[in-house]
Amino acid sequence: MMKGHRTWVFENQPVIAATATVGGPFEATGRIADDFDLLHEDLWLGEESYEKAHKILLEEAFFKAMEKGGITKEHVQFIIAGDLINLMTPSNFAARTIGAPYLGVFGACSTSMEGLALSAFIVNHGGAKYILTGASSHNTAVEKQFRYPTEYGGQKPPTAQWTVTGAGVALVSSEGEGPRIVAATIGRVVDMGLSDPFNMGGAMAPAAVDTIEAHLRDMQVDSSYYDLIVTGDLGKIGRQISLDLLREHGLQIEEERYQDCGLLIYREDQPVLAGASGAGCSATVVYGHLLNRMKQGEFKRMLVVATGALLSPLTFQQNETIPCIAHAVAIEYGGE
C-alpha cells in the first residue's frame, strides 16, 4: 500500500464512477465551456450574496454527479470537500443539504486532489462504497476575502490570476466502469520565502516540483510513464518556474506533456493575466475537460498535481511568507 516515503498505491484501484462540473458566466465563455455540465448566466445564482451562490455551485455539482452515477444521496457514505471561504462554510452548508457523513478538508487550491486521494484510500480499504469528493470557488466571494471586493476596481499585476467560479465533484466507487485511481502522493509544506499574494504561481511552483519528484521516485517511474502531467493552477509564471526547476533537478519533461489547469480553462483573449486559480480550478478542469479527453482515448495515464497556497488574510497581515503544498493523484483509463 505504501510505496516509498509518501505514496499510496491502491491495489483495488477505486473507480471515478461519475463526475460533474458547474461554472459561472466567465467560464461559459472560456476554452472548455462545452465540458461543463451546467453553466450559470450570472454570479448571483439567484441568491442574495456571493457566498450563498458559492454554496449552490457545490450543491448542484453534488446532485449532478449522483444523477450521472445512478445513485441517490442515501447511497452516499461520505462527503469529502472544501473551499477557500472562512471555515469552508459553502462546503459545510452544501454537505448539510446532502445529509451524508462529512469530512471537510482544506488544502487551498490543492483541495481537489487531497479529497480524491483520501476518498481513494477509504474506498480502497473497504471503508465505503460511494464517496462524493469535490472542491469549489467563487470569484467575487474569494476576491472579497483574500484581496479586495471587485466593486473596488483595484488593479492587479501581471503575475496575478483569476479565481474560477466553479465546482467540480467526483463520485468515487469500489465498483463500476470509469477511470481508475492508481496511486496518490501526499505533499509536504514547502515555503521558499515568497510573500506576494499576487504571485501565487511563483510561490506554489517549488511545492509542485517537490511532489512530482517524490511521486516519480516512490513509484520508480520516469516522467514519460505518464501521457500527461498536469498541475493545479500555477499559471504562466508558476508553470515556467516549475519546468525550470525540474530541469535543474535533472527531470526532462516534454512541455506538451506538462500542462496546467490554470492555463486550460480560459481563452488567451480573456483578461486573466497569468491564468486561472481557485479551488474550483483543478476540480472543474480535471473532472470535466481532462477526464472527458481521457475517456475519448486521447491519453491513458495522467498525473494530476493540484497546488495550494496555505495563507490567509491574517497571515498576510502578520507579514508571514506563503507556505505551499501539492498533492498528486495518478489516474489511468483504458488498456496498457
Side-chain angles (χ1 to χ4, degrees):
M1 180 60 195
M2 173 66 77
K3 190 169 184 179
H5 186 60
R6 299 159 48 178
T7 300
W8 295 328
V9 176
F10 305 119
E11 62 272 19
N12 295 319
Q13 297 190 352
V15 174
I16 300 176
T19 60
T21 56
V22 179
F26 198 61
E27 291 67 33
T29 62
R31 181 179 294 175
I32 62 170
D34 291 342
D35 290 301
F36 282 87
D37 293 286
L38 178 62
L39 289 163
H40 288 274
E41 295 181 354
D42 69 82
L43 288 168
W44 294 94
L45 278 66
E47 298 295 319
E48 61 186 13
S49 73
Y50 293 133
E51 290 77 12
K52 290 184 177 181
H54 188 169
K55 177 200 72 166
I56 297 297
L57 290 171
L58 189 57
E59 285 182 350
E60 290 177 336
F62 279 151
F63 281 110
K64 191 64 177 180
M66 288 187 285
E67 176 190 329
K68 291 169 70 177
I71 66 168
T72 64
K73 61 182 183 180
E74 287 73 26
H75 293 97
V76 178
Q77 289 156 301
F78 294 101
I79 292 172
I80 302 178
D83 57 74
L84 300 173
I85 300 301
N86 284 341
L87 303 178
M88 302 186 304
T89 44
S91 298
N92 300 342
F93 292 168
R96 176 184 65 184
T97 300
I98 304 300
Y102 167 60
L103 295 167
V105 293
F106 179 81
C109 301
S110 72
T111 298
S112 63
M113 291 304 107
E114 180 179 358
L116 189 62
L118 292 170
S119 299
F121 188 96
I122 294 170
V123 170
N124 183 75
H125 284 285
K129 182 178 180 181
Y130 293 116
I131 296 180
L132 281 175
T133 184
S136 61
S137 53
H138 189 291
N139 179 276
T140 43
V142 173
E143 288 293 316
K144 182 169 67 175
Q145 177 166 315
F146 280 94
R147 299 176 185 94
Y148 302 105
T150 53
E151 296 87 346
Y152 181 76
Q155 290 187 319
K156 297 180 180 180
T159 56
Q161 294 169 246
W162 182 280
T163 302
V164 168
T165 298
V169 166
L171 174 63
V172 180
S173 176
S174 59
E175 59 185 37
E177 299 295 325
R180 295 167 289 115
I181 306 168
V182 175
T185 299
I186 305 305
R188 63 191 183 102
V189 177
V190 176
D191 188 341
M192 299 303 291
L194 276 73
S195 59
D196 182 3
F198 289 106
N199 186 10
M200 295 295 190
M204 294 186 294
V209 170
D210 182 75
T211 298
I212 291 170
E213 290 179 332
H215 178 82
L216 298 177
R217 181 173 59 248
D218 287 351
M219 295 295 288
Q220 298 179 337
V221 297
D222 186 78
S223 62
S224 61
Y225 176 82
Y226 292 102
D227 303 310
L228 178 68
I229 297 176
V230 59
T231 49
D233 50 358
L234 296 182
K236 294 178 183 177
I237 307 298
R239 177 177 179 270
Q240 189 57 56
I241 291 172
S242 63
L243 269 172
D244 291 343
L245 286 172
L246 286 166
R247 287 166 179 163
E248 283 182 14
H249 297 180
L251 283 174
Q252 299 296 325
I253 299 179
E254 298 175 20
E255 291 205 21
E256 60 271 19
R257 289 175 179 258
Y258 187 69
Q259 301 295 324
D260 182 76
C261 293
L263 298 176
L264 292 172
I265 189 168
Y266 298 126
R267 302 190 321 271
E268 291 184 3
D269 60 343
Q270 288 179 286
V272 296
L273 299 172
S277 65
C281 180
S282 60
T284 56
V285 174
V286 173
Y287 294 148
H289 177 66
L290 292 178
L291 286 185
N292 285 346
R293 288 170 58 187
M294 180 173 261
K295 291 175 182 177
Q296 292 163 6
E298 190 172 334
F299 44 84
K300 296 179 179 179
R301 295 180 179 133
M302 173 171 64
L303 182 67
V304 183
V305 188
T307 50
L310 306 177
L311 81 167
S312 74
L314 183 62
T315 63
F316 174 73
Q317 292 165 7
Q318 294 175 339
N319 296 319
E320 270 281 8
T321 52
I322 304 174
C324 299
I325 199 164
H327 302 297
V329 176
I331 302 169
E332 297 187 8
Y333 184 74
E336 294 297 326

